[in-house]
Amino acid sequence: MADMTITNTAETADTGQPTHADKRVLLAAPRGYCAGVDRAVETVEKSLEKYGAPIYVRKEIVHNKHVVKTFEDRGVIFVDETTEVPQGANVVFSAHGVSPMVHQEARKLELNTLDATCPLVTKVHHEVKRFAKQGYQIVLIGHHGHEEVEGTAGEAPDVVHLVDGQDDVNALDFPEDTKLIWLSQTTLSVDETMDTVKMLREKFPHIQDPPSDDICYATQNRQVAVKAIAPKVELMIVVGSQNSSNSKRLVEVALQHGTKESYLVDYADQIDLAWLEGVNSVGVTSGASVPEILVRGVLDLLAEQGFPTVEEVTTATEDLIFSLPRELRPSRTNRE
Ligand code: SF4
């Protein structure tokens, strides 16, 4: 490992200037694994321990190339659909959640299901079910084709309307007396979501807000940390995969808050050294599905390239832990 010093700074999202002109790295905190990803990864780990390979996982357990590859090497088989899993086998549902239809398919195939859906995604599923039952039309703000919104919308497909920007809002048409509420995907940009809500309110002034935030604490905390750093760095490197919604939002947030260049990389070796030319300050963060070892790789590379000083900027601390699916919790006797 290259020489590297990490110091810690706690601060709020202000727009202060660098305190010194040396080449330096500002490292966002919080970054990386959230409680939902931690639980999903541990669900696969414990399933491997308890049942042995092969374990089937529907879709990527979390949207990170490294995590998926590491599990594949250990005998995990990732499939796109439950129908690809052999009858009676063990299958884990990913952190992004699944629709009731997928649960039905699993029952038909008599699969042993281990559900790693993040409890904060499940919360949005419950909201959809509750408001659909109460006769609402539900505007779901989210990204077309994302697994999470497919699962959430699947709870009440007839009354959920997915919107992703102005065109989708323009296309909505409800009679005036329609009971209307908006909900959202958990991993969106907070600011962009509020822009969409503003458009919705202009068109449907009576639309109701969700009972609580759907954009999860981890997504919000990682964006706040990026906002604190973005005005102080010339380049922001976000570690994360291209299909990770919350990681991609971090790149956008960095660019919107003052960083000139920002890139999403899975691994340190994807950093183009030309990005560092003439740059004195680099911000580093990672999406909620990214193991810390990948961030260390980026910091090592930066140290080798003349950025040995790393200042960690902490805007929040996180201590949330979700318990494992019931089938994988230690039994009482094992705990005694
Ligand atoms: Fe859950 Fe949020 Fe993590 Fe997604 S990003 S797994 S919703 S805590």
Side-chain angles (χ1 to χ4, degrees):
M1 186 192 275
D3 284 346
M4 185 201 306
T5 320
I6 301 187
T7 57
N8 296 294
T9 312
E11 56 179 83
T12 52
D14 61 18
T15 54
Q17 294 303 306
T19 50
H20 54 81
D22 296 335
K23 285 198 168 191
R24 64 175 185 157
V25 175
L26 296 186
L27 179 61
R31 62 179 177 279
Y33 273 17
C34 58
V37 165
D38 210 29
R39 174 179 184 267
V41 168
E42 211 187 331
T43 297
V44 180
E45 292 278 357
K46 295 282 181 208
S47 301
L48 278 169
E49 265 173 41
K50 183 168 176 178
Y51 305 107
I55 294 288
Y56 289 82
V57 177
R58 184 185 180 276
K59 309 282 184 190
E60 294 191 349
I61 182 67
V62 296
H63 286 154
N64 185 266
K65 256 191 189 173
H66 178 81
V67 172
V68 169
K69 172 82 181 60
T70 308
F71 277 135
E72 274 174 345
D73 292 346
R74 294 174 58 194
V76 173
I77 299 172
F78 290 90
V79 294
D80 268 335
E81 295 307 332
T82 320
T83 45
E84 295 168 49
V85 181
Q87 182 138 13
N90 300 303
V91 66
V92 177
F93 290 153
S94 80
H96 308 100
V98 297
S99 70
M101 185 101 82
V102 174
H103 280 289
Q104 265 176 34
E105 283 168 2
R107 276 195 295 274
K108 249 194 236 159
L109 286 165
E110 297 172 340
L111 304 180
N112 178 35
T113 301
L114 302 136
D115 191 353
T117 303
C118 175
L120 300 182
V121 173
T122 304
K123 185 201 88 162
V124 187
H125 282 231
H126 288 323
E127 287 171 353
V128 168
K129 282 191 276 191
R130 173 149 69 101
F131 290 108
K133 214 168 170 186
Q134 292 173 10
Y136 281 82
Q137 294 292 317
I138 298 164
V139 178
L140 179 63
I141 304 175
H143 296 304
H144 290 283
H146 192 279
E147 284 147 40
E148 180 186 319
V149 291
E150 283 173 0
T152 308
E155 292 288 355
D158 295 342
V159 298
V160 173
H161 310 267
L162 183 62
V163 300
D164 185 3
Q166 181 83 61
D167 289 350
D168 289 340
V169 174
N170 292 347
L172 291 175
D173 187 18
F174 301 110
E176 250 178 48
D177 56 351
T178 306
K179 284 165 78 176
L180 208 55
I181 188 161
W182 69 269
L183 303 175
S184 85
Q185 188 179 329
T186 57
T187 51
L188 301 181
S189 148
V190 177
D191 298 338
E192 276 175 21
T193 302
M194 290 325 289
D195 289 346
T196 307
V197 171
K198 203 167 150 231
M199 293 178 225
L200 286 169
R201 284 205 187 110
E202 272 162 21
K203 193 162 176 189
F204 309 106
H206 68 294
I207 192 166
Q208 290 181 33
D209 294 335
S212 61
D213 274 349
D214 288 335
I215 299 181
C216 76
Y217 80 99
T219 300
Q220 298 198 30
N221 285 348
R222 279 149 194 70
Q223 288 175 16
V224 168
V226 163
K227 285 181 192 175
I229 291 176
K232 304 174 184 176
V233 296
E234 297 148 278
L235 167 70
M236 181 81 71
I237 295 173
V238 179
V239 187
S241 291
Q242 288 298 335
N243 59 346
S244 161
S245 169
N246 81 88
S247 304
K248 281 171 92 169
R249 303 293 82 77
L250 295 176
V251 171
E252 292 166 5
V253 169
L255 294 171
Q256 284 156 2
H257 288 81
T259 307
K260 282 193 215 101
E261 303 279 340
S262 182
Y263 300 98
L264 187 61
V265 297
D266 266 297
Y267 297 102
D269 64 9
Q270 290 171 351
I271 293 176
D272 182 342
L273 296 185
W275 301 344
L276 302 174
E277 277 167 24
V279 166
N280 285 314
S281 50
V282 181
V284 174
T285 188
S286 55
S289 45
V290 177
E292 184 64 7
I293 191 171
L294 302 180
V295 174
R296 295 284 139 180
V298 167
L299 296 179
D300 284 348
L301 178 134
L302 290 171
E304 284 160 19
Q305 296 301 318
F307 293 82
T309 309
V310 180
E311 194 182 322
E312 189 167 60
V313 178
T314 305
T315 50
T317 49
E318 295 176 346
D319 52 14
L320 188 64
I321 296 173
F322 293 131
S323 54
L324 285 171
R326 213 178 32 249
E327 304 83 347
L328 298 170
R329 286 180 212 154
S331 67
R332 273 184 190 286
T333 13
N334 289 350
R335 275 185 273 163
E336 280 157 9

